[in-house]
Amino acid sequence: MASKNKNWEYAPSLETTDHINLKKKYDLFINGKWLKPTSKKHFNTINPNDEKHIAEIAHANHKDVDIAVKSARKAYDNVWSKMPANERGKYIYRIARLMQERSKELAVVESLDAGKPIREARDIDIPLACNHFFYYAGWADKLEYAFPNRKVSPLGVAGQIIPWNFPLLMAAWKIAPALAAGNTVVLKPAETTSLTALKLAEIIADSGLPDGVVNIVTGFGDTGAAIVNHPDVNKVAFTGSTGVGKIIQKAIAGTAKKATLELGGKSANIIFDDAPLDQAIEGIVNGIFFNQGHVCCAGSRLFVQENIADRVVRKLKHRMKSLVVGNPLDKNTDVGAINSKEQLNIINKYIKIGIEEGAEIYQSECNIPKKGFFCPPTIFSNVAQSSVIVQEEIFGPVLTIQTFRTVDEVIQKANNTPYGLAAGVWTDKGSRIFNLTTKLKAGVVWANTYNKFDPSSPFGGYKESGFGREGGMHGLSAYLKLS
Ligand code: NAI
Ligand code: MG
């Protein structure tokens, strides 16, 4: 499907899928082998672009999770915790190299299963996932330098539960630091996007990593809960909704389990009147329409200084007209498919609420296909601080726009949310950037850019956005006991 906009008709440029080798049915990756689930249950994963069936995925029950945790424990006790750290590092490097060799395949599978534009999967998700393994491989034998004068030891078995918005990247964020720190892993991908984690299991098997060091179990929330509640799991790492984050925190209260929770967000993107406006417009677009707004740190609340608000909104609408919404596998596509029907329903519910609240809506014109799950890039102006669409996470390509006059006013408004994951500041004035970075209650503050990630920089939230950091040395410490 091409964009309706007459200025920007591109000929389709579909990425090929003939080099992709997918099994019809995937079992569980436990102890280095593919095990049939004792639940005897499989479920379908579909392509959100056309709702076509891709493969069957095992639904692990608590018994399967128990087998996986036991395998991780055995590998921890007998092999991984005894291995010299530089040897551990070599395995992690090998995984990174094998991922790199298969990066095209991984990108296409991610795009098919998650609805992500191939350009993003190819240029962002997969390279960053590889880089996380490369980065943490380097730390494996340098832990005592990372934390000088401290005694470092691994935690044991890490139970890791990840969401569907960056499937392979989240797996890398979780697995790489856990292994570098000397832990073994049971990881559960999200039910709509298991395929790249299962491809990663193939890569891990090819790498010769000792059996049981990484186990990948697929399934739904009940599978995740079985991991969280397993008595022999020492550490829980979760990325997903704040609702489930709260359930997990309650479940592990009073146990010795360590946890990192990376939850939702409602991040502010703040544009001052001295900002380079054309760059800022790109930053706004990247902040909220990138990956269909399925980004925990999406710049979903725009704050524009009042004297430039009309100009910014006009420029933004103009830019939105050239965004191509459509088949994720098309290299021209800017905005791909919403990950699932459930998520599309959530987004549409919020769009309806926004209209009912009296906000002014603008959606870019595009042909939404009959099949598949799509949402046009959407902005709402004339919203109040108390509007539901300003307060709650939508997790789709939906932006609210508010204005401000002074620095203090925008700080107050930006911080007035239960979340605190990220923020963006656009201004020519360095001192203003430093003033805001210290006063905004957000784990990451980007200045004159947005949605930039690097394995060496920590990421995580304040308040209901969770706690603990991933990435960098901070991400390493989350998998270590320091004494
Ligand atoms: P979710 O939090 O239910 O799913 C995330 C992961 O947790 C999945 O692997 C899921 O199977 C697992 N899970 C579900 N219930 C669990 C439980 N009781 N114990 C352990 N694991 C459990 O998120 P969902 O329902 O897919 O999305 C709902 C909303 O959550 C979205 O609209 C969005 O606002 C937010 N979200 C935020 C993400 C982030 O990166 N911060 C990622 C995904 C969703
Ligand atoms: Mg899917």
Side-chain angles (χ1 to χ4, degrees):
M1 173 198 35
S3 162
K4 214 177 181 181
N5 189 289
K6 291 175 188 64
N7 303 326
W8 297 93
E9 286 289 0
Y10 293 112
S13 171
L14 286 184
E15 179 62 69
T16 53
T17 53
D18 44 10
H19 60 291
I20 302 305
N21 189 4
L22 284 171
K23 293 193 268 190
K24 284 207 172 89
K25 196 171 188 171
Y26 283 90
D27 292 324
L28 305 168
F29 184 71
I30 297 177
N31 202 29
K33 311 192 176 47
W34 293 96
L35 294 192
K36 295 212 176 315
T38 66
S39 71
K40 297 200 168 59
K41 282 192 196 147
H42 284 77
F43 60 94
N44 291 331
T45 191
I46 64 164
N47 180 342
N49 174 53
D50 53 16
E51 301 173 54
K52 282 198 184 128
H53 168 89
I54 310 177
E56 278 183 68
I57 311 286
H59 182 167
N61 61 17
H62 68 280
K63 215 164 146 191
D64 297 308
V65 167
D66 183 52
I67 300 169
V69 173
K70 286 201 169 106
S71 129
R73 173 62 56 193
K74 204 171 109 210
Y76 178 76
D77 288 342
N78 298 346
V79 187
W80 200 241
S81 63
K82 294 189 175 146
M83 188 182 283
N86 63 335
E87 292 299 317
R88 266 202 334 260
K90 284 186 205 165
Y91 282 110
I92 305 171
Y93 268 122
R94 203 177 295 159
I95 295 169
R97 292 289 302 274
L98 288 169
M99 284 171 73
Q100 230 173 16
E101 276 171 23
R102 289 172 66 172
S103 57
K104 187 165 179 198
E105 181 190 7
L106 291 169
V108 173
V109 173
E110 198 76 299
S111 179
L112 280 172
D113 200 24
K116 197 179 275 282
I118 184 67
R119 234 176 34 215
E120 278 170 20
R122 183 194 65 196
D123 298 346
I124 299 168
D125 292 62
I126 311 303
L128 262 179
C130 299
N131 285 348
H132 268 83
F133 277 96
F134 278 121
Y135 174 78
Y136 280 111
W139 275 123
D141 62 351
K142 300 174 195 71
L143 298 177
E144 55 271 43
Y145 300 100
F147 307 100
N149 306 319
R150 310 280 296 272
K151 193 172 164 293
V152 294
S153 44
L155 300 172
V157 175
Q160 308 181 319
I161 298 156
I162 57 171
W164 41 262
N165 53 343
F166 292 91
L168 186 71
L169 183 58
M170 288 300 109
W173 276 31
K174 297 274 185 285
I175 296 174
L179 296 187
N183 305 273
T184 57
V185 165
V186 176
L187 174 115
K188 190 196 90 65
E191 48 270 39
T192 54
T193 55
S194 306
L195 288 176
T196 44
L198 294 164
K199 283 268 147 202
L200 180 60
E202 291 174 5
I203 287 171
I204 285 170
D206 289 349
S207 76
L209 187 77
D211 292 346
V213 173
V214 173
N215 304 274
I216 295 186
V217 294
T218 44
F220 292 75
D222 59 326
T223 314
I227 296 175
V228 170
N229 294 317
H230 196 289
D232 206 26
V233 163
N234 303 104
K235 149 98 191 179
V236 175
F238 172 77
T239 301
S241 61
T242 298
V244 172
K246 286 180 181 173
I247 294 174
I248 291 177
Q249 217 182 344
K250 275 195 197 127
I252 61 172
T255 71
K257 288 173 193 172
K258 259 192 137 186
T260 35
L261 304 178
E262 203 258 280
L263 310 174
K266 195 74 183 172
S267 300
N269 210 354
I270 303 169
I271 320 284
F272 285 92
D273 61 5
D274 63 344
L277 282 196
D278 290 327
Q279 283 173 43
I281 296 293
E282 288 310 307
I284 298 166
V285 166
N286 179 27
I288 187 65
F289 302 137
F290 164 60
N291 202 29
Q292 300 69 250
H294 298 338
V295 184
C296 46
C297 51
S300 51
R301 291 182 300 151
L302 176 65
F303 291 95
V304 190
Q305 205 156 20
E306 198 177 79
N307 56 333
I308 55 162
D310 289 347
R311 223 160 98 220
V312 167
V313 172
R314 201 170 57 241
K315 275 176 175 285
L316 178 60
K317 286 181 179 171
H318 180 72
R319 179 68 180 89
M320 283 165 71
K321 284 187 182 141
S322 62
L323 291 174
V324 180
V325 181
N327 187 347
L329 275 185
D330 192 320
K331 289 168 205 152
N332 298 317
T333 294
D334 297 302
V335 181
I338 300 300
N339 183 259
S340 65
K341 192 167 193 178
E342 291 72 34
Q343 190 57 32
L344 181 59
N345 290 342
I346 293 176
I347 298 166
N348 284 337
K349 178 193 84 181
Y350 279 112
I351 291 178
K352 197 161 158 262
I353 290 174
I355 295 167
E356 283 166 6
E357 282 181 322
E360 194 180 309
I361 184 173
Y362 173 84
Q363 293 186 303
S364 58
E365 287 179 26
C366 47
N367 301 313
I368 298 292
K370 297 248 167 357
K371 279 237 159 226
F373 316 129
F374 289 90
C375 177
T378 303
I379 59 176
F380 278 108
S381 43
N382 194 23
V383 293
Q385 188 68 25
S386 58
S387 304
V388 171
I389 54 168
V390 169
Q391 287 294 324
E392 295 182 14
E393 181 175 50
I394 301 176
F395 225 64
V398 182
L399 177 73
T400 60
I401 305 177
Q402 294 170 267
T403 58
F404 67 93
R405 287 184 186 169
T406 66
V407 173
D408 288 342
E409 179 192 353
V410 77
I411 291 170
Q412 199 273 332
K413 282 181 167 168
N415 285 339
N416 183 355
T417 158
Y419 295 110
L421 199 51
V425 179
W426 298 79
T427 174
D428 201 27
K429 207 167 166 188
S431 60
R432 194 183 273 153
I433 291 172
F434 287 113
N435 181 25
L436 280 156
T437 48
T438 52
K439 291 186 181 144
L440 289 170
K441 297 223 166 22
V444 178
V445 182
W446 285 291
N448 294 323
T449 186
Y450 208 89
N451 273 341
K452 287 278 183 295
F453 301 95
D454 186 275
S456 64
S457 49
F459 184 87
Y462 276 78
K463 301 192 279 188
E464 292 200 8
S465 292
F467 52 79
R469 295 289 179 267
E470 295 184 294
M473 281 196 287
H474 296 72
L476 208 51
S477 68
Y479 286 95
L480 287 169
K481 197 169 109 202
L482 297 169
S483 44

